């Protein structure tokens, strides 16, 4: 079982906000009781002394009041008597209220008060009282009511006759003979690009009957994360799961430790014959090959099913995150799903690196657009330098803005109370997430859903933070991606593998045309939202065979849609 995969049983409490409760030793309640009892006794004491003085005060009051109220007395004396009567009545009523309040306090549990940890860097710490069970039931009723009113917005696509199939036949497992050589891997790119690349390397190692050394990870990408394989992945689990398919080693054995490896970048989108032929000859000659690039090194299509299944076995089953990452990621999921709640994971790729790479500057200031242009020219391996951002947006090739994402969700019928978890890094631009929060105030991300001490070990480690987001995205009720990048592909394919969980792929080219028409006043909201819903009826992640293109770059990624290969269909009779 994956560590932390199940939400622990707990008492009912408000979702997400009830992160940390007050100490259960009763300190807060006892302090309150002491203060309240002190006030109670203080009000019961005589204004002038002890019990005998109080008796005298009462006798004097009995004799004094009739004289004050007797007709013919002066007005000031009558007013004085009324004030004394009012004061005595107030003391009596106050004492009764204090007694009732203390009785309620005594019946309360220490857990009826909670101390809320800082949930947002911009929010001050506050102390909140836990809502009653009646309020929790009301929250649950609201979720149930939403599901009854709009069941389609949360419903997974129909996939009854499809199932994952990665079981390998015994004769298709790895060769138990001595390996032909050893493969060292330097995975390149961000977390998800490295994950897919490592999965390809597993398949390549089997094709060449080679032993695979635990991969090293890219530390020179845009994020410059120093984390290595053992920091992000459960490396022992990876080795154990792969042992029937390939041999995985922590390091080179002593007999080849001093061999100078052949440094090589395999040809992208290659067929198995390339590795069984040309590359195998190089391996036998040099004994050790070091691959400098791992991304997209095997074709999407035209690959035997056993190899395709091995790629999925590595990607979705062997490459499990470290125990620390799995535990915290599943805590996030539990907090978002408390009391039967649902949430959307929104992959809002409106980040500085992606906007610079794509040349998309819609909704940005001139200064921000110029900063992106300079970054694009500064990165050497980004080949395209002169880009018309306006044209690219109209072609549907830009990440959606926070406002466009909010309008899309609203048009699809998601209520303003919907919880949204942002699966992305820092949103670029001076307005940030403001436009999204205006429509959907319940916006979360790893920095405001985690306690400060929980997140501290992951600070500045972007690939590990991305791993936390991956877990939340994978287990979300709905996953929406606004740019078809590496994370979108990896999460989408994994959700297909786990049973076709609802995944919305926005038709950006048609959507931006519609939203521009609405903004011009040419399209009323009712007509706009109706067209958006029709536009996305079949873009929710339902089963379809992987689309083949004229070139590997133009066809659907294997890891974005592992059907066929790792998904099978039940026979229809």
């Amino acid at each position: 079982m994956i560590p932390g995969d199940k939400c622990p049983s707990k008492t009912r409490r408000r979702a997400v906000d009830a992160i940390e409760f007050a100490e259960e030793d009763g300190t807060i309640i006892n302090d309150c009781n002491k203060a309240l009892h002190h006030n109670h006794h203080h009000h019961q004491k005589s204004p002038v002394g002890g019990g005998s003085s109080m008796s005298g005060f009462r006798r004097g009051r009995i004799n004094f009041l009739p004289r004050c109220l007797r007709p013919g007395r002066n007005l000031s004396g009558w007013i004085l008597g009324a004030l004394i009567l009012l004061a005595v009545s107030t003391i009596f009523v106050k004492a009764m209220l204090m007694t009732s309040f203390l009785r309620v306090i005594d019946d309360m549990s220490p857990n009826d008060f909670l101390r809320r940890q800082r949930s947002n860097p911009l929010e001050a710490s506050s102390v909140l009282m836990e809502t009653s069970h009646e309020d929790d039931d009301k929250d649950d009723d609201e979720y149930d009511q939403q599901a009854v009113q709009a069941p389609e917005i949360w419903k997974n696509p129909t996939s009854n006759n499809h199932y994952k199939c990665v079981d390998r036949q015994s004769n298709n497992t790895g060769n138990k003979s001595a390996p032909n050589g050893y493969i060292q891997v330097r995975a390149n790119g961000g977390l998800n690009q490295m994950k897919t690349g490592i999965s390809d390397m597993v398949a390549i190692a089997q094709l060449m009957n080679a032993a695979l050394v635990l991969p090293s990870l890219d530390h020179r990408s845009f994020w410059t994360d120093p984390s290595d394989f053992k920091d992000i992945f459960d490396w022992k689990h990876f080795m154990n799961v792969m042992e029937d398919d390939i041999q995985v080693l922590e390091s080179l054995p002593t007999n080849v430790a001093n061999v100078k490896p052949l440094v090589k970048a395999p040809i992208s989108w290659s067929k198995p014959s390339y590795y069984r032929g040309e590359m195998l000859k190089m391996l036998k000659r040099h004994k050790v090959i070091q691959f400098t690039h791992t991304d997209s090194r095997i074709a999407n299509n035209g690959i035997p099913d056993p190899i395709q299944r091995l790629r999925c076995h590595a990607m979705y089953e062997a490459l499990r995150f470290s125990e620390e990452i799995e535990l915290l990621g599943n805590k996030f999921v539990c907090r978002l799903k408390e009391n039967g709640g649902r949430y959307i994971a929104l992959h809002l790729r409106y980040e500085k690196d992606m906007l610079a790479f794509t040349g998309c500057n819609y909704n940005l200031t001139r200064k921000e657009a110029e900063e992106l242009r300079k970054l694009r020219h500064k990165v050497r391996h980004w080949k395209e330098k002169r880009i018309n951002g306006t044209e690219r947006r109209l072609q549907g090739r830009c990440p959606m803005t926070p406002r466009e994402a909010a309008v899309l969700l609203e048009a699809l019928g998601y209520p303003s109370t919907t919880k949204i978890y942002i699966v992305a890094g820092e949103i670029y631009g001076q307005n940030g997430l403001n436009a999204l929060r205006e429509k959907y105030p319940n916006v979360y991300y790893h920095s405001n859903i985690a306690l400060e001490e929980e997140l501290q070990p992951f600070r500045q480690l972007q690939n590990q933070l991305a791993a936390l987001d991956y877990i939340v995205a994978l287990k979300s009720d709905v996953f929406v991606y606004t740019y078809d990048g590496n994370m979108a592909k990896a999460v989408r394919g994994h959700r297909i593998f786990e049973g076709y969980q609802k995944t919305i792929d926005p038709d950006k080219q048609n959507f931006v045309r519609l939203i521009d028409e609405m903004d011009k006043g040419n399209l009323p909201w009712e007509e706009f939202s109706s067209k958006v819903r029709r536009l996305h009826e079949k873009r929710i992640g339902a089963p379809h065979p992987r689309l083949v293109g004229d070139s590997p770059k133009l066809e659907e990624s294997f890891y974005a849609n592992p059907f066929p290969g790792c998904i099978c269909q039940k026979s229809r009779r």
Side-chain angles (χ1 to χ4, degrees):
M1 179 181 294
I2 296 174
D5 191 46
K6 298 294 183 183
C7 298
S9 59
K10 60 191 110 176
T11 56
R12 296 166 61 84
R13 63 192 70 161
R14 186 184 297 276
V16 179
D17 288 341
I19 291 177
E20 184 180 14
F21 278 77
E23 298 294 334
E24 296 188 0
D25 59 3
T27 303
I28 295 176
I29 301 302
N30 290 336
D31 289 345
C32 291
N33 284 338
K34 289 177 183 177
L36 290 171
H37 280 299
H38 174 75
N39 291 336
H40 179 56
H41 293 314
H42 175 74
H43 286 299
Q44 285 181 334
K45 289 180 181 180
S46 167
V48 294
S52 61
S53 297
M54 175 61 79
S55 299
F57 173 76
R58 288 171 179 167
R59 287 195 299 270
R61 183 185 65 182
I62 293 170
N63 295 329
F64 177 70
L65 287 177
R67 290 198 301 268
C68 289
L69 299 174
R70 188 182 303 157
R73 302 294 295 179
N74 58 52
L75 181 61
S76 60
W78 189 90
I79 293 176
L80 178 61
L83 291 174
I84 292 174
L85 179 61
L86 179 62
V88 173
S89 302
T90 301
I91 292 172
F92 176 78
V93 172
K94 201 168 190 178
M96 294 296 292
L97 289 174
M98 281 295 179
T99 302
S100 300
F101 183 71
L102 286 172
R103 189 176 297 116
V104 173
I105 291 293
D106 289 338
D107 292 337
M108 292 177 69
S109 162
N111 280 346
D112 286 332
F113 290 87
L114 67 86
R115 174 166 46 88
R116 183 182 179 186
Q117 186 75 15
R118 175 188 60 80
S119 62
N120 189 299
L122 301 180
E123 294 177 359
S125 299
S126 60
V127 179
L128 302 176
M129 180 175 288
E130 167 68 349
T131 53
S132 65
H133 293 322
E134 181 179 352
D135 290 336
D136 284 333
D137 291 337
K138 183 179 178 181
D139 290 341
D140 290 343
D141 290 342
E142 288 177 356
Y143 283 122
D144 294 340
Q145 189 175 11
Q146 290 176 9
V148 171
Q149 292 177 346
E152 295 301 322
I153 65 175
W154 300 107
K155 187 178 179 181
N156 289 330
T158 302
S159 58
N160 295 335
N161 64 324
H162 293 78
Y163 63 98
K164 60 182 176 183
C165 50
V166 292
D167 293 338
R168 282 93 60 223
Q169 297 178 0
S170 58
N171 59 351
N172 286 330
T173 56
N175 194 331
K176 299 300 182 182
S177 62
N180 292 320
Y182 302 87
I183 296 176
Q184 292 179 315
V185 170
R186 185 183 300 162
N188 60 297
L191 173 70
N192 293 286
Q193 187 173 334
M194 291 190 291
K195 277 189 67 180
T196 56
I198 293 169
S199 300
D200 278 356
M201 291 299 114
V202 167
I204 290 169
Q206 190 186 80
L207 289 170
M208 299 171 65
N209 186 29
L212 177 67
V213 179
L214 279 181
S216 62
L217 305 186
D218 191 346
H219 306 315
R220 299 176 297 178
S221 66
F222 179 82
W223 300 274
T224 62
D225 187 335
S227 303
D228 220 326
F229 190 90
K230 291 183 178 180
D231 299 317
I232 297 178
F233 300 103
D234 186 340
W235 63 279
K236 291 182 179 179
H237 174 79
F238 178 74
M239 294 177 68
N240 291 335
V241 171
M242 290 283 91
E243 66 180 358
D244 289 335
D245 299 286
I246 63 170
Q247 184 180 5
V248 181
L249 307 173
E250 282 191 71
S251 58
L252 287 172
T254 55
N255 63 316
V256 292
N258 296 323
V259 173
K260 184 178 181 180
L262 171 67
V263 179
K264 180 75 175 177
I267 297 174
S268 300
W269 294 295
S270 296
K271 299 286 186 175
S273 57
Y274 168 71
Y275 293 101
R276 286 174 171 156
E278 180 182 346
M279 293 304 297
L280 180 56
K281 291 178 182 178
M282 292 183 182
L283 178 66
K284 289 180 176 179
R285 186 182 312 126
H286 295 274
K287 292 300 179 185
V288 181
I289 291 182
Q290 183 181 94
F291 288 145
T292 59
H293 291 73
T294 61
D295 59 315
S296 305
R297 300 298 139 172
I298 301 182
N300 293 307
N301 301 294
I303 307 296
D305 283 346
I307 300 301
Q308 298 287 53
R309 292 173 184 176
L310 180 58
R311 294 167 82 182
C312 290
H313 184 51
M315 178 73 175
Y316 306 129
E317 297 177 341
L319 282 173
R320 189 171 74 188
F321 296 121
S322 69
E323 183 177 0
E324 295 77 12
I325 292 174
E326 289 283 347
L327 283 171
L328 186 55
N330 282 292
K331 280 185 180 180
F332 293 176
V333 174
C334 289
R335 288 167 186 170
L336 289 163
K337 285 181 172 286
E338 276 189 322
N339 294 328
R342 295 187 176 100
Y343 71 94
I344 292 174
L346 177 61
H347 185 46
L348 192 60
R349 198 66 166 91
Y350 206 71
E351 302 163 273
K352 186 175 183 179
D353 66 308
M354 183 52 64
L355 296 176
F357 173 72
T358 58
C360 297
N361 53 20
Y362 180 74
N363 203 42
L364 299 176
T365 65
R366 288 186 179 181
K367 182 179 179 180
E368 291 165 347
E370 178 61 16
E371 185 178 1
L372 295 178
R373 188 193 66 81
K374 290 179 179 179
L375 176 59
R376 184 167 66 254
H377 282 266
K378 183 179 178 180
V379 181
R380 292 183 178 179
H381 62 272
W382 291 352
K383 304 300 182 182
E384 197 173 3
K385 301 300 182 183
R386 301 188 64 175
I387 301 173
N388 187 320
T390 301
E391 289 182 0
R392 181 154 291 193
R393 174 177 175 268
L394 294 175
Q395 294 167 354
R397 298 169 62 191
C398 284
M400 296 175 74
T401 68
R403 189 239 172 185
E404 289 171 341
V407 173
L408 171 68
L409 294 177
E410 185 180 15
L412 291 176
Y414 291 96
S416 61
T417 55
T418 301
K419 286 179 285 188
I420 297 177
Y421 184 92
I422 303 298
V423 185
E426 184 178 356
I427 303 303
Y428 187 69
Q430 63 181 1
N431 295 320
L433 287 170
N434 292 345
L436 177 66
R437 284 200 183 97
E438 286 178 3
K439 292 183 181 295
Y440 295 95
N442 297 321
V443 175
Y444 303 95
Y445 30 89
H446 51 249
S447 60
N448 77 343
I449 197 173
L451 304 180
E452 189 171 349
E453 59 268 25
E454 290 176 330
L455 206 58
Q456 188 58 41
F458 304 97
R459 295 287 183 190
Q460 307 305 318
L461 301 176
Q462 298 302 320
N463 285 330
Q464 295 192 44
L465 292 173
L468 291 170
D469 287 348
Y470 185 98
I471 294 171
V472 180
L474 176 63
K475 298 188 177 183
S476 63
D477 297 281
V478 177
F479 176 58
V480 182
Y481 58 91
T482 63
Y483 185 78
D484 193 19
N486 290 307
M487 185 170 194
K489 290 182 172 69
V491 173
R492 174 189 166 196
H494 202 158
R495 288 172 67 86
I496 288 174
F497 185 77
E498 294 298 337
Y500 287 96
Q501 299 163 350
K502 188 165 187 176
T503 301
I504 298 176
D505 171 20
D507 185 342
K508 290 184 292 184
Q509 185 172 8
N510 285 305
F511 177 79
V512 297
R513 176 180 56 81
L514 290 174
I515 196 173
D516 287 350
E517 286 296 307
M518 183 183 69
D519 288 342
K520 293 175 184 176
N522 299 331
L523 197 62
W525 171 259
E526 291 76 13
E527 185 178 353
F528 167 80
S529 58
S530 177
K531 289 185 176 182
V532 169
R533 286 193 295 271
R534 288 200 301 271
L535 198 62
H536 294 87
E537 284 177 345
K538 297 182 179 180
R539 301 180 72 94
I540 59 173
H544 72 269
R546 190 167 51 256
L547 302 176
V548 179
D550 295 332
S551 68
K553 287 185 178 181
L554 300 178
E555 62 188 11
E556 193 172 18
S557 165
F558 169 77
Y559 289 109
N561 183 10
F563 172 55
C566 305
I567 305 294
C568 297
Q569 286 182 279
K570 298 176 183 177
S571 59
R572 297 179 179 178
R573 296 181 179 178

